[in-house]
Amino acid sequence: MSTRGLLRHLRKQTANLKYIAISFLCLIAVWELAVRLSGVNEALFPSPASAWNALLEICADGTLVNHIYTSMLRFFAGFIVATVLAVVTGVIFGWFDILFKLVNPVVQLLRPISPIAWMPFIVLMFGIGDMPAIVTIFIAAFFPVFLSTVSGVKNIPEIYLKVARNFAVGKVEIFWKIIFPASFPQITSGIHLALGSAWVFLVCGEMIGAQSGLGYLIIDARNFPIKS
């Protein structure tokens, strides 16, 4: 990149940062105005200054770091297991059409159900602790990746498979060298969707079935607000 291009890029990034700063300043101003005009007890509707002081407090004593670490462990445990299982099963069911026709009605029945709706059953089965949040993340991440993988496998151009057969490529090599690479863009698209969904339901899962993590921290702060 030339010097002129680098300077142009830096000016563009500086302008973006300016708009980001203005946006957050407007948000804080509206927040402060709403606190002053509402007359609600600050324990229920804290001001930006109170929220900032509370953030500094939980950062200073390590509370926030510990809860973030716990949440990340749960998130990656559920998300990685869901992604690996969804990709493997998605490739299999996408390749063997008869299998997908058998399981598709069940998948379409279960997919629209929110993972939070399963929480009473999850807590009954796994109790209180890490597992409810991990299972909730698994459910939230599995279906987007699974369906994207199936779609990616089904949409592979037939010419790829014909060329592989003409060159006497084995079935195992077809999976690794043709099917998986050709469907990879749609797999990554499903993973991208699952990432956001799983993160949302991580916090929700920790609000119900956990004694630590970011979701638990939110509920704990609501139940025991800091008195001003």
Side-chain angles (χ1 to χ4, degrees):
M1 182 182 294
S2 64
T3 303
R4 182 177 298 177
L6 179 60
L7 291 175
R8 189 183 301 115
H9 177 73
L10 291 175
R11 282 197 296 269
K12 183 178 179 180
Q13 294 301 317
T14 302
N16 290 337
L17 290 175
K18 179 181 68 175
Y19 287 117
I20 292 173
I22 292 173
S23 177
F24 275 101
L25 288 175
C26 290
L27 173 63
I28 293 172
V30 171
W31 180 1
E32 181 67 32
L33 184 63
V35 170
R36 292 180 181 274
L37 296 179
S38 65
V40 178
N41 189 315
E42 192 165 342
L44 300 175
F45 188 17
S47 66
S50 298
W52 176 253
N53 291 333
L55 176 62
L56 293 179
E57 181 180 334
I58 61 175
C59 286
D61 62 12
T63 300
L64 182 61
V65 174
N66 291 335
H67 285 293
I68 290 176
Y69 177 74
T70 302
S71 292
M72 289 297 99
L73 289 179
R74 291 171 180 154
F75 177 81
F76 284 112
F79 187 78
I80 291 173
V81 172
T83 300
V84 172
L85 186 61
V87 170
V88 173
T89 56
V91 169
I92 294 172
F93 285 105
W95 181 252
F96 299 101
D97 190 59
I98 185 65
L99 293 179
F100 183 67
K101 288 180 179 179
L102 290 173
V103 302
N104 188 44
V106 178
V107 170
Q108 298 304 327
L109 176 67
L110 298 177
R111 180 180 60 85
I113 301 175
S114 171
I116 296 302
W118 295 103
M119 282 305 297
F121 302 100
I122 294 173
V123 172
L124 284 174
M125 292 178 64
F126 297 100
I128 301 297
D130 292 336
M131 284 306 298
I134 293 174
V135 174
T136 303
I137 296 163
F138 176 90
I139 295 172
F142 178 82
F143 289 110
V145 181
F146 174 77
L147 293 175
S148 295
T149 303
V150 171
S151 177
V153 173
K154 288 182 174 295
N155 291 328
I156 295 175
E158 185 66 23
I159 188 64
Y160 292 176
L161 302 176
K162 289 182 178 179
V163 171
R165 294 189 186 103
N166 287 339
F167 282 94
V169 178
K171 292 184 178 180
V172 176
E173 288 182 306
I174 287 178
F175 271 94
W176 283 110
K177 295 183 178 180
I178 305 295
I179 296 176
F180 185 74
S183 59
F184 188 73
Q186 286 193 259
I187 293 174
T188 55
S189 178
I191 292 174
H192 178 74
L193 292 174
L195 192 64
S197 176
W199 177 254
V200 171
F201 287 107
L202 162 68
V203 177
C204 295
E206 290 179 337
M207 287 181 174
I208 299 173
Q211 298 298 313
S212 59
L214 294 174
Y216 169 78
L217 185 62
I218 293 171
I219 293 298
D220 187 59
R222 185 200 67 180
N223 293 333
F224 303 100
I226 299 174
K227 305 296 182 181
S228 57

